[in-house]
Amino acid sequence: MRWWDIPGVLALERELFPDDAWSEATYWSELALARGPGRRRHYLVAEAAGGTLAGYAGLGVAGGTGEVMTIGVTGGHQGAGLGGRLLGALLDAAAGPFACHEVMLEVRVDNERARRLYQRFGFARVGVRRGYYQPGNHDALVMRRALPPGGSRTPVHSEGTEGGAGEDG
Ligand SMILES: CC(C)(COP(=O)(O)OP(=O)(O)OC[C@H]1O[C@@H](n2cnc3c(N)ncnc32)[C@H](O)[C@@H]1OP(=O)(O)O)[C@@H](O)C(=O)NCCC(=O)NCCS
Protein backbone atom coordinates (compact mmCIF):
# COMPACT_ATOMS: atom_id res chain seq x y z
CA MET A 1 0.00 0.00 0.00
CA ARG A 2 1.30 3.44 -0.93
CA TRP A 3 -0.12 6.90 -0.42
CA TRP A 4 -1.90 6.87 -3.76
CA ASP A 5 -3.92 3.83 -2.62
CA ILE A 6 -5.43 5.77 0.31
CA PRO A 7 -8.61 7.08 -1.46
CA GLY A 8 -9.53 3.54 -2.58
CA VAL A 9 -8.74 2.08 0.84
CA LEU A 10 -10.95 4.72 2.53
CA ALA A 11 -13.85 3.76 0.25
CA LEU A 12 -13.37 0.11 1.23
CA GLU A 13 -13.12 1.10 4.91
CA ARG A 14 -16.52 2.77 4.73
CA GLU A 15 -17.99 -0.33 3.07
CA LEU A 16 -16.50 -2.86 5.50
CA PHE A 17 -16.32 -0.90 8.77
CA PRO A 18 -19.18 1.64 8.58
CA ASP A 19 -19.24 2.21 12.36
CA ASP A 20 -15.55 2.78 12.93
CA ALA A 21 -13.77 3.37 9.62
CA TRP A 22 -10.22 4.64 9.94
CA SER A 23 -9.62 8.22 8.80
CA GLU A 24 -7.38 9.46 6.02
CA ALA A 25 -5.02 10.90 8.67
CA THR A 26 -4.71 7.46 10.30
CA TYR A 27 -3.66 5.87 7.01
CA TRP A 28 -1.11 8.61 6.32
CA SER A 29 0.48 8.10 9.73
CA GLU A 30 0.36 4.30 9.44
CA LEU A 31 2.10 4.42 6.03
CA ALA A 32 4.72 6.82 7.42
CA LEU A 33 5.67 4.05 9.89
CA ALA A 34 6.00 1.57 7.00
CA ARG A 35 9.04 3.25 5.43
CA GLY A 36 12.70 3.59 6.34
CA PRO A 37 15.18 1.54 8.35
CA GLY A 38 13.12 1.49 11.59
CA ARG A 39 9.88 0.61 9.86
CA ARG A 40 7.28 -1.09 12.04
CA ARG A 41 4.29 -1.38 9.77
CA HIS A 42 3.62 -3.51 6.68
CA TYR A 43 0.56 -2.63 4.60
CA LEU A 44 -0.48 -4.24 1.36
CA VAL A 45 -3.27 -4.03 -1.15
CA ALA A 46 -4.77 -6.62 -3.48
CA GLU A 47 -5.94 -5.40 -6.87
CA ALA A 48 -8.48 -7.08 -9.11
CA ALA A 49 -7.92 -7.37 -12.85
CA GLY A 50 -8.11 -3.83 -14.20
CA GLY A 51 -6.50 -2.37 -11.11
CA THR A 52 -9.52 -1.84 -8.86
CA LEU A 53 -8.90 -2.37 -5.15
CA ALA A 54 -10.21 -5.73 -3.90
CA GLY A 55 -8.66 -5.87 -0.44
CA TYR A 56 -6.00 -4.64 1.93
CA ALA A 57 -4.27 -5.63 5.15
CA GLY A 58 -1.79 -4.24 7.62
CA LEU A 59 0.66 -5.53 10.22
CA GLY A 60 2.12 -3.58 13.12
CA VAL A 61 5.26 -4.70 14.95
CA ALA A 62 6.53 -3.86 18.44
CA GLY A 63 9.06 -5.76 20.53
CA GLY A 64 8.98 -8.94 18.46
CA THR A 65 5.19 -9.14 18.50
CA GLY A 66 3.18 -8.58 15.34
CA GLU A 67 -0.40 -7.29 15.37
CA VAL A 68 -2.94 -7.60 12.59
CA MET A 69 -3.96 -3.93 12.42
CA THR A 70 -6.64 -4.40 9.79
CA ILE A 71 -7.76 -6.74 7.02
CA GLY A 72 -10.61 -6.40 4.57
CA VAL A 73 -11.89 -7.76 1.26
CA THR A 74 -14.62 -6.01 -0.72
CA GLY A 75 -17.97 -7.83 -0.76
CA GLY A 76 -17.76 -8.89 -4.39
CA HIS A 77 -14.44 -10.66 -3.82
CA GLN A 78 -15.12 -12.33 -0.47
CA GLY A 79 -15.17 -16.10 -0.19
CA ALA A 80 -12.60 -16.69 -2.92
CA GLY A 81 -9.48 -17.02 -0.81
CA LEU A 82 -8.26 -13.43 -0.95
CA GLY A 83 -8.55 -12.84 2.80
CA GLY A 84 -6.42 -15.94 3.31
CA ARG A 85 -3.80 -14.70 0.87
CA LEU A 86 -3.63 -11.32 2.58
CA LEU A 87 -3.36 -12.86 6.05
CA GLY A 88 -0.71 -15.27 4.79
CA ALA A 89 1.30 -12.36 3.41
CA LEU A 90 1.15 -10.61 6.79
CA LEU A 91 2.33 -13.76 8.57
CA ASP A 92 5.18 -14.18 6.09
CA ALA A 93 6.29 -10.60 6.76
CA ALA A 94 6.03 -11.11 10.52
CA ALA A 95 8.04 -14.35 10.44
CA GLY A 96 10.57 -13.15 7.86
CA PRO A 97 11.75 -9.53 7.71
CA PHE A 98 10.25 -8.53 11.06
CA ALA A 99 11.41 -11.69 12.90
CA CYS A 100 8.36 -11.74 15.17
CA HIS A 101 7.88 -14.62 17.61
CA GLU A 102 4.09 -14.19 17.70
CA VAL A 103 1.23 -12.37 16.01
CA MET A 104 -1.80 -11.08 17.90
CA LEU A 105 -5.16 -9.71 16.77
CA GLU A 106 -8.55 -8.62 18.01
CA VAL A 107 -11.79 -9.70 16.35
CA ARG A 108 -15.39 -8.94 17.20
CA VAL A 109 -16.95 -11.97 18.87
CA ASP A 110 -19.82 -11.97 16.33
CA ASN A 111 -17.53 -11.80 13.26
CA GLU A 112 -17.83 -15.50 12.42
CA ARG A 113 -16.18 -15.37 9.02
CA ALA A 114 -13.10 -13.53 10.27
CA ARG A 115 -12.84 -15.86 13.28
CA ARG A 116 -12.91 -18.91 10.99
CA LEU A 117 -10.22 -17.36 8.81
CA TYR A 118 -7.96 -16.75 11.82
CA GLN A 119 -8.55 -20.23 13.20
CA ARG A 120 -7.62 -21.74 9.83
CA PHE A 121 -4.32 -19.90 10.10
CA GLY A 122 -3.55 -21.24 13.55
CA PHE A 123 -4.71 -18.36 15.73
CA ALA A 124 -6.06 -19.42 19.12
CA ARG A 125 -8.14 -17.43 21.56
CA VAL A 126 -6.16 -16.04 24.50
CA GLY A 127 -8.63 -13.60 26.03
CA VAL A 128 -11.61 -11.27 25.73
CA ARG A 129 -11.71 -7.46 25.81
CA ARG A 130 -15.13 -6.39 27.06
CA GLY A 131 -16.70 -3.46 25.18
CA TYR A 132 -13.62 -3.08 22.95
CA TYR A 133 -15.60 -2.02 19.87
CA GLN A 134 -17.50 1.28 20.10
CA PRO A 135 -20.17 2.24 19.29
CA GLY A 136 -22.18 -0.82 20.21
CA ASN A 137 -20.09 -2.03 23.13
CA HIS A 138 -19.12 -5.25 21.33
CA ASP A 139 -16.58 -7.56 22.94
CA ALA A 140 -13.34 -8.50 21.16
CA LEU A 141 -11.66 -11.87 21.21
CA VAL A 142 -7.91 -11.59 21.50
CA MET A 143 -6.19 -14.26 19.39
CA ARG A 144 -2.56 -15.32 19.15
CA ARG A 145 -0.47 -17.31 16.70
CA ALA A 146 3.07 -18.32 17.67
CA LEU A 147 5.80 -18.14 15.02
CA PRO A 148 8.93 -20.28 14.72
CA PRO A 149 11.87 -18.96 16.80
CA GLY A 150 14.59 -17.07 14.96
CA GLY A 151 12.36 -15.92 12.12
CA SER A 152 11.89 -17.61 8.79
CA ARG A 153 11.25 -16.71 5.19
CA THR A 154 9.45 -20.02 4.73
CA PRO A 155 5.70 -19.50 4.34
CA VAL A 156 4.09 -20.03 7.73
CA HIS A 157 0.45 -19.90 6.69
CA SER A 158 -1.72 -22.94 6.13
CA GLU A 159 -3.04 -22.04 2.68
CA GLY A 160 -1.23 -21.53 -0.64
CA THR A 161 -0.29 -17.93 -1.37
CA GLU A 162 2.01 -18.48 -4.31
CA GLY A 163 1.82 -15.40 -6.44
CA GLY A 164 0.65 -13.55 -3.33
CA ALA A 165 -1.38 -10.42 -2.97
CA GLY A 166 -0.19 -7.29 -4.73
CA GLU A 167 2.36 -5.41 -2.68
CA ASP A 168 4.62 -2.45 -3.07
CA GLY A 169 6.71 -2.49 0.07
C1 LIG B 1 -12.83 -11.47 7.05
C2 LIG B 1 -12.53 -11.28 5.55
C3 LIG B 1 -11.26 -10.42 5.43
C4 LIG B 1 -12.31 -12.63 4.90
O1 LIG B 1 -11.97 -12.38 3.54
P1 LIG B 1 -12.33 -13.48 2.40
O2 LIG B 1 -11.62 -13.06 1.17
O3 LIG B 1 -13.79 -13.66 2.33
O4 LIG B 1 -11.63 -14.77 3.04
P2 LIG B 1 -11.44 -16.18 2.35
O5 LIG B 1 -12.09 -16.20 1.02
O6 LIG B 1 -9.98 -16.47 2.43
O7 LIG B 1 -12.21 -17.11 3.33
C5 LIG B 1 -13.60 -16.90 3.53
C6 LIG B 1 -14.37 -18.15 3.13
O8 LIG B 1 -14.22 -18.45 1.77
C7 LIG B 1 -13.85 -19.82 1.62
N1 LIG B 1 -13.00 -19.92 0.42
C8 LIG B 1 -11.71 -19.59 0.32
N2 LIG B 1 -11.27 -19.84 -0.92
C9 LIG B 1 -12.33 -20.33 -1.60
C10 LIG B 1 -12.51 -20.75 -2.93
N3 LIG B 1 -11.50 -20.74 -3.82
N4 LIG B 1 -13.73 -21.17 -3.29
C11 LIG B 1 -14.76 -21.19 -2.41
N5 LIG B 1 -14.64 -20.80 -1.14
C12 LIG B 1 -13.44 -20.37 -0.74
C13 LIG B 1 -13.10 -20.12 2.87
O9 LIG B 1 -13.09 -21.51 3.15
C14 LIG B 1 -13.90 -19.36 3.87
O10 LIG B 1 -15.08 -20.07 4.21
P3 LIG B 1 -15.72 -19.90 5.65
O11 LIG B 1 -15.98 -18.43 5.84
O12 LIG B 1 -16.97 -20.70 5.55
O13 LIG B 1 -14.72 -20.44 6.60
C15 LIG B 1 -13.73 -10.59 4.83
O14 LIG B 1 -14.89 -11.36 5.08
C16 LIG B 1 -13.98 -9.15 5.22
O15 LIG B 1 -13.37 -8.24 4.68
N6 LIG B 1 -14.89 -8.93 6.20
C17 LIG B 1 -15.28 -7.58 6.58
C18 LIG B 1 -14.14 -6.88 7.30
C19 LIG B 1 -13.71 -7.67 8.51
O16 LIG B 1 -14.54 -8.14 9.27
N7 LIG B 1 -12.37 -7.77 8.72
C20 LIG B 1 -11.80 -8.47 9.85
C21 LIG B 1 -11.75 -7.57 11.04
S1 LIG B 1 -11.07 -8.43 12.46
Side-chain angles (χ1 to χ4, degrees):
M1 186 188 299
R2 300 297 298 278
W3 63 265
W4 50 82
D5 295 309
I6 290 177
V9 169
L10 291 175
L12 257 187
E13 279 277 323
R14 289 189 288 269
E15 173 198 329
L16 299 173
F17 305 104
D19 294 334
D20 52 359
W22 283 7
S23 69
E24 180 174 359
T26 297
Y27 272 102
W28 276 100
S29 64
E30 286 292 290
L31 290 185
L33 296 172
R35 310 291 287 175
R39 69 196 186 97
R40 49 203 155 94
R41 294 289 188 277
H42 182 70
Y43 277 84
L44 45 101
V45 293
E47 290 179 343
T52 57
L53 189 66
Y56 60 98
L59 178 82
V61 178
T65 295
E67 168 96 21
V68 177
M69 308 294 289
T70 188
I71 183 166
V73 173
T74 188
H77 287 274
Q78 290 180 10
L82 188 51
R85 292 172 70 185
L86 286 164
L87 183 59
L90 294 189
L91 289 172
D92 286 345
F98 288 107
C100 295
H101 64 273
E102 62 178 358
V103 175
M104 311 288 296
L105 59 82
E106 285 96 20
V107 59
R108 245 173 79 157
V109 289
D110 60 355
N111 193 343
E112 297 287 346
R113 173 165 269 191
R115 286 177 59 176
R116 280 198 301 269
L117 174 66
Y118 300 140
Q119 277 159 9
R120 279 210 309 281
F121 277 74
F123 283 86
R125 167 187 173 147
V126 292
V128 178
R129 291 197 174 142
R130 302 276 171 218
Y132 181 80
Y133 293 101
Q134 301 295 338
N137 209 34
H138 297 282
D139 296 344
L141 287 188
V142 182
M143 302 184 83
R144 176 180 182 271
R145 155 86 196 253
L147 293 174
S152 164
R153 287 194 171 267
T154 312
V156 291
H157 45 281
S158 60
E159 297 182 342
T161 61
E162 283 357 283
E167 177 186 356
D168 193 8

